[in-house]
Amino acid sequence: MASLDVLDVGVLTIILVGTVAYFTKGSLWGKPIQDPYLTSSTSSTSGDRDIVSKLESSGKTAVIFYGSQTGTAEDYAHRLSKEATARFGIKTMVADIEDYDLENLDTLGSDKVAAFVMSTYGEGEPTDNAASFYDFITSDSAVFSEGGDADSSPLSDLKYVIFGLGNNTYEHYNAIGRNLEKALQKMGAQRVGPYGEGDDGDGTTEEDFLAWKEEMFSDWKEKFDLKEREALYEASVALIEDSALSTESVGVYLGEPNKGHLTGNASPPYNGTNPYVCEITSTRELFKSDSRNCIHIEFNLGTSGIKYTTGDHIAVHPQNANEEVDLFLDILGLKEKRNTVFSLKSLDPTSKVPFPSPTTYDTIVRYRLEINGGAVSRQFISSVAQFAPNPESRKEALRLGGDKNAFANEITVKGLNIARALNLISNGEKWTEIPFTFVIETVQPLQPRYYSISSSSLVDKKTVSVTAVVESEKALGGDHYLKGVTTNLFLDIKYAQEGAKNTASHALSYDLNGPRGKFESRKLPIHIRHSNFKLPSNPSKPIILLGPGTGIAPFRGFVAEKAAQAKNGKPVGKTLLFFGSRNRTEDFLYEDEWNQHAETLGENFELVTAFSREESRKVYVQHRLYEKAAEINQLLRDGASFYVCGDASRMARDVQNTLVKIISEQRGIDITKAEAVVQNMKIQNNYQEDVW
C-alpha cells in the first residue's frame, strides 16, 4: 500500500545562541537538496565528515541536522535555515545526519547550536539516514572524541534544539525525537528553546511547526537580543541560462535517476539515490467499477541483483503529470521557456547544487519538485508574496499566509496545489517575477512513493507486485480533481500497455518514455526498502491477518507463501484472513486467488469478508474479528501472530481495541490487563502493523 501518495507537507526550525555580534553576521541562505549523483558512501571523505571543522571553516554558527524518510523533515530543516538567516542574519548550514561522524559533538563549542529535525518512521524506528546516529547517541556505551561516556555529561557544552515529526496513530508516537531529547539531557546538553513536535496523524504538522517556530523566534529575540530584519529572498544558487545548449546536447540532465543513468553506466548496488530502472511486465485492473480503479502492477527485477523478502516495501520514483507540469510552468510564465537549458552554481560552500545541471525548466518541474495537490504550505504563500504580480495579489498572499483559518478554508480544504493557489490569489495573472532559484529552494523535492509488496519472494524472487488504488477525487469547492502522483502514473501505464486511451475528462497523462527514452517499454525507477513486517520463521505457527481494502496487499504475499510451503511438504499453521471492502461485486480483491489457496491449504486457511455497503449497517473487519472472538482467543493461546495492514487513523486503532475487548471477555480479565497482553504481544513481535 502507498504510505504516501498525495503529498504530506510539514516544517521545521532552528535556533541560535550566543552574542548578538556573533549571530548577526550576514550570510546567504539556501536549501541544498541531496544530489542524486552522490550516495552516502561517496558523498563525504573522512575529512568532510567532521562537522566541527566544517562549521569552523565556513564561518557557520548553527547546523541543522535532519533525519528524513520521505523528505518532509529535510524540507523543514531547509525552510528553517532560510528563515533564520533571512530574519536574523544567522549563519546556518543544513546537514544530512548520515553524512557526518558525530562522536565529536562534545567539541562543538558553546558558541554553536545543533538543531535536530527528526522523523519517526513506522513503529518507533529511526529513518534510514538517521539509524547509525540514533544507535550511537542512545547507546549506554557511547564514547565521544574526548573520552567522555554517556554517564559523564560529555555534552555539557552542547546547545541544541529538537523538532520531532511523527504520527499519533502509531503507538510509539514521535519516539525518535523524544528519545533523542532524553539522551541529550542525560549527557548534560543544554536545550536552548522549546522541544517541538509535529503530528501527521491529525494533519497538523505544518501548523504545529509554524506555531512552534514563532514561539522559538520570539524567545530567541528576547534571550539573545537578536535584531530582526525584513525577510527578503537571497539565493544560495546562481542560475545561468545557456543558449548554446539544447535538450539534444550530450550531458544535459533531462530527468535521469542519477549520473550513471545519464551516462549509460548505471550499476548496482541500487538504493534510494541509485534506483534501478525496472521493467513493468504486466498491469491489470482489479476493480469492477466505472468510477474507481485499483491497479495490480508487476515489476521484473531481472538481472539487477536486487533481493526482497515477503513483506518488504518497494519505493517507486515518479514524475509529475503533463497537465500539472504545464499548469505550473504557465503560472510562472515559463511555458515558452520549458526547454531552455540552464546551469546552477552554488553560492554557499556548505551546500550542494540541488540537482544535476545543465538542465531545463521542464525537467526540474517534471522530475524534481512536488507540485501536485496538497504541495503548498502557508509559509510558502507568505514568502512568495514579495514576488506578487500586483499590490492586490501581494496583499491577498499575505492575508492567506498570516491567517491559518483562512488558509485552511480557502486553500487546504479545496486541495489547491501551488499553481492553483497562485492562480487564485492573482486572479489568473502570471507570477513572472518569481526567480526560478526561489522555486528550486522553496518547493519540496519530489519523493519516492512506498508500497507494501503484494507478492511472495518464495514464489517468485524476480517479480515484485504492487496493489494500489488510484487516487482521484473531486475537490471540494472546485472543478479540479485531487490526484495521486504515482497511482495515476500506474493507470496511464496500464492504458498504454493495453493500447488504449483513458477518456475520462480529468485523466492525467505522463511522459512514459522518460528522459531520452530510458523508460521505453514501460519502465520506472525503483528501489526496495526492507521491512520488519514478516511472517513467523516457523511456518507451523498460526497467523491472523486483517487487511481491509489495499491493506490486503502484503497478505496476498503471505498467503501465497504459505500455500507454496504446503506444496513443498512443510507443515503450515492456520491462516485466518479478514478482508474488507465496499461490496463483493466491485472490489473483492484477488477473489480467485483466495479460492485457489483454499484448495491448497484446506482447513488451514479461512477467509472472512466484511463488505461495508451490502448490509443496512456498515460492517468492517473489526466487527468480523469480534464475531470470531472465541476462535481468536484460542489461536492466540496457541501462539498465533497477529498482523494489521491499512489505515492507521481509524481502522488500526479499532482493530486493536477490539482485540483488547476479546481478550478481556474471553479470559475474564479487566481491560487494563488485556491491554497489557496486547502490548506484550507487540514487544515480542507477535502483533505487527504495516499502517499509514
Side-chain angles (χ1 to χ4, degrees):
M1 255 336 290
S3 57
L4 168 68
D5 202 308
V6 177
L7 178 72
D8 56 34
V9 181
V11 58
L12 202 260
T13 181
I14 169 107
I15 121 187
L16 8 117
V17 309
T19 66
V20 180
Y22 194 87
F23 274 105
T24 55
K25 300 174 184 176
S27 70
L28 297 175
W29 45 284
K31 172 188 176 181
I33 304 171
Q34 185 170 357
D35 186 345
Y37 285 9
L38 302 176
T39 64
S40 59
S41 62
T42 62
S43 60
S44 299
T45 64
S46 59
D48 291 334
R49 296 185 65 81
D50 186 338
I51 190 61
V52 175
S53 295
K54 179 65 71 71
L55 289 171
E56 292 293 344
S57 63
S58 61
K60 307 291 186 181
T61 56
V63 56
I64 311 168
F65 295 107
Y66 63 83
S68 186
Q69 193 69 33
T70 62
T72 304
E74 178 183 0
D75 179 56
Y76 294 175
H78 289 301
R79 289 165 64 178
L80 179 51
S81 172
K82 288 184 289 186
E83 185 168 357
T85 301
R87 289 177 62 175
F88 302 105
I90 301 163
K91 289 190 170 185
T92 67
M93 68 169 286
V94 178
D96 184 334
I97 204 163
E98 74 172 343
D99 282 348
Y100 295 91
D101 300 317
L102 298 184
E103 288 85 353
N104 64 349
L105 276 178
D106 56 340
T107 65
L108 191 61
S110 59
D111 61 340
K112 304 288 192 302
V113 173
F116 298 90
V117 185
M118 308 297 290
S119 288
T120 297
Y121 184 80
E123 286 297 330
E125 303 166 24
T127 58
D128 290 348
N129 73 316
S132 294
F133 166 74
Y134 182 74
D135 289 345
F136 166 74
I137 203 70
T138 57
S139 171
D140 291 335
S141 59
V143 177
F144 291 86
S145 61
E146 295 192 342
D149 58 29
D151 295 321
S152 62
S153 299
L155 301 182
S156 57
D157 285 339
L158 177 68
K159 292 182 171 63
Y160 77 95
V161 68
I162 296 172
F163 188 87
L165 291 87
N167 186 317
N168 70 14
T169 60
Y170 286 88
E171 179 182 359
H172 303 288
Y173 170 60
N174 254 312
I176 303 306
R178 294 178 180 185
N179 290 340
L180 177 58
E181 164 72 4
K182 291 177 184 177
L184 294 179
Q185 285 287 307
K186 178 182 178 181
M187 297 178 189
Q190 307 169 48
R191 178 160 47 78
V192 289
Y195 168 81
E197 289 183 341
D199 185 6
D200 188 51
D202 286 340
T204 60
T205 302
E206 175 81 359
E207 291 301 332
D208 292 339
F209 162 71
L210 293 177
W212 175 73
K213 170 179 65 68
E214 288 309 311
E215 181 184 353
M216 292 281 290
F217 282 140
S218 177
D219 185 37
W220 302 335
K221 284 175 63 178
E222 179 179 351
K223 183 178 296 184
F224 306 117
D225 194 27
L226 295 173
K227 306 303 180 185
E228 188 167 1
R229 62 192 188 183
E230 185 179 5
L232 295 178
Y233 171 66
E234 299 176 70
S236 65
V237 291
L239 186 152
I240 307 100
E241 293 185 354
D242 190 343
S243 60
L245 296 176
S246 73
T247 56
E248 303 299 320
S249 301
V250 175
V252 173
Y253 170 64
L254 298 180
E256 293 83 357
N258 62 23
K259 188 175 182 179
H261 291 284
L262 176 61
T263 60
N265 296 315
S267 60
Y270 296 106
N271 50 41
T273 55
N274 182 37
Y276 174 61
V277 177
C278 191
E279 178 188 6
I280 296 169
T281 54
S282 69
T283 56
R284 71 178 189 269
E285 175 63 59
L286 296 178
F287 283 172
K288 299 173 183 177
S289 168
D290 294 331
S291 59
R292 301 165 61 228
N293 298 95
C294 182
I295 307 301
H296 176 90
I297 185 166
E298 295 187 351
F299 296 86
N300 178 18
L301 299 179
T303 59
S304 66
I306 295 175
K307 296 180 180 180
Y308 83 98
T309 55
T310 309
D312 281 346
H313 299 137
I314 183 173
V316 179
H317 297 243
Q319 58 174 281
N320 290 308
N322 296 326
E323 294 79 4
E324 295 295 345
V325 173
D326 289 347
L327 192 66
F328 191 89
L329 290 171
D330 184 55
I331 196 64
L332 298 184
L334 292 172
K335 203 168 182 179
E336 301 304 317
K337 296 180 64 176
R338 67 191 314 151
N339 291 323
T340 298
V341 176
F342 65 83
S343 295
L344 290 178
K345 178 181 178 182
S346 175
L347 301 175
D348 185 338
T350 67
S351 66
K352 303 169 185 175
V353 173
F355 42 72
S357 73
T359 186
T360 69
Y361 295 101
D362 183 279
T363 296
I364 300 313
V365 174
R366 186 178 301 276
Y367 291 102
R368 300 307 299 268
L369 301 179
E370 288 281 7
I371 65 170
N372 206 42
V376 60
S377 69
R378 187 157 64 88
Q379 186 175 359
F380 175 86
I381 296 301
S382 293
S383 60
V384 82
Q386 62 190 294
F387 306 115
N390 54 60
E392 293 76 18
S393 299
R394 182 179 187 277
K395 182 179 179 181
E396 179 67 359
L398 291 174
R399 179 186 73 84
L400 289 169
D403 186 334
K404 70 176 183 180
N405 291 326
F407 184 84
N409 293 330
E410 298 174 42
I411 303 294
T412 305
V413 170
K414 295 179 180 179
L416 299 184
N417 58 20
I418 292 173
R420 289 188 172 87
L422 293 179
N423 186 71
L424 175 70
I425 291 168
S426 68
N427 197 27
E429 188 170 346
K430 303 294 187 286
W431 293 64
T432 58
E433 298 302 312
I434 301 178
F436 199 66
T437 54
F438 175 87
V439 174
I440 292 168
E441 296 182 291
T442 307
V443 178
Q444 188 174 358
L446 184 61
Q447 297 293 331
R449 270 50 174 176
Y450 290 84
Y451 298 86
S452 297
I453 293 174
S454 59
S455 52
S456 164
S457 57
L458 177 64
V459 175
D460 188 347
K461 63 183 179 181
K462 296 293 186 181
T463 298
V464 171
S465 68
V466 167
T467 307
V469 166
V470 178
E471 297 188 42
S472 179
E473 182 179 352
K474 185 75 175 291
L476 294 175
D479 58 1
H480 65 285
Y481 281 72
L482 305 181
K483 297 277 192 175
V485 174
T486 310
T487 55
N488 281 276
L489 174 57
F490 291 164
L491 182 63
D492 200 32
I493 290 173
K494 184 190 82 73
Y495 272 101
Q497 287 192 326
E498 295 171 349
K501 182 176 177 59
N502 187 348
T503 58
S505 60
H506 52 83
L508 295 180
S509 61
Y510 294 78
D511 179 11
L512 299 185
N513 287 331
R516 294 185 171 88
K518 293 186 180 295
F519 301 165
E520 284 182 336
S521 302
R522 309 300 171 248
K523 298 177 181 177
L524 287 177
I526 61 99
H527 73 272
I528 299 296
R529 187 184 194 276
H530 297 294
S531 167
N532 294 322
F533 195 72
K534 300 298 180 188
L535 282 166
S537 57
N538 181 359
S540 66
K541 187 175 182 179
I543 56 175
I544 303 167
L545 316 173
L546 289 96
T550 50
I552 200 71
F555 301 143
R556 176 179 181 265
F558 280 19
V559 178
E561 189 145 313
K562 284 280 193 176
Q565 290 169 334
K567 288 180 179 178
N568 292 335
K570 290 186 177 181
V572 297
K574 175 70 175 285
T575 295
L576 180 56
L577 171 63
F578 293 84
F579 168 70
S581 65
R582 295 183 182 183
N583 60 69
R584 71 182 68 243
T585 59
E586 287 189 4
D587 51 14
F588 192 170
L589 300 181
Y590 302 114
E591 180 180 8
D592 293 341
E593 293 186 20
W594 306 131
N595 292 333
Q596 293 171 7
H597 294 320
E599 292 181 6
T600 301
L601 293 168
E603 63 181 12
N604 283 325
F605 176 73
E606 181 180 358
L607 173 66
V608 180
T609 58
F611 298 110
S612 63
R613 300 191 180 184
E614 288 189 351
E615 301 181 23
S616 58
R617 68 182 183 93
K618 295 290 181 68
V619 177
Y620 299 114
V621 289
Q622 61 267 25
H623 300 134
R624 297 302 191 210
L625 181 71
Y626 185 70
E627 290 171 359
K628 299 184 76 65
E631 182 179 359
I632 295 297
N633 182 57
Q634 187 57 52
L635 285 171
L636 293 179
R637 288 194 178 280
D638 292 340
S641 290
F642 194 88
Y643 298 84
V644 183
C645 182
D647 171 54
S649 61
R650 295 187 60 181
M651 182 277 298
R653 285 181 172 180
D654 290 343
V655 166
Q656 180 170 326
N657 291 337
T658 301
L659 183 61
V660 168
K661 183 179 180 181
I662 288 172
I663 292 172
S664 172
E665 293 177 353
Q666 293 292 315
R667 302 184 186 182
I669 59 178
D670 61 35
I671 290 294
T672 301
K673 290 182 179 179
E675 289 174 342
V677 171
V678 172
Q679 292 306 312
N680 189 54
M681 288 173 61
K682 291 187 175 184
I683 292 172
Q684 296 180 356
N685 216 30
N686 285 328
Y687 189 120
Q688 297 185 38
E689 294 177 302
D690 184 3
V691 295
W692 57 91

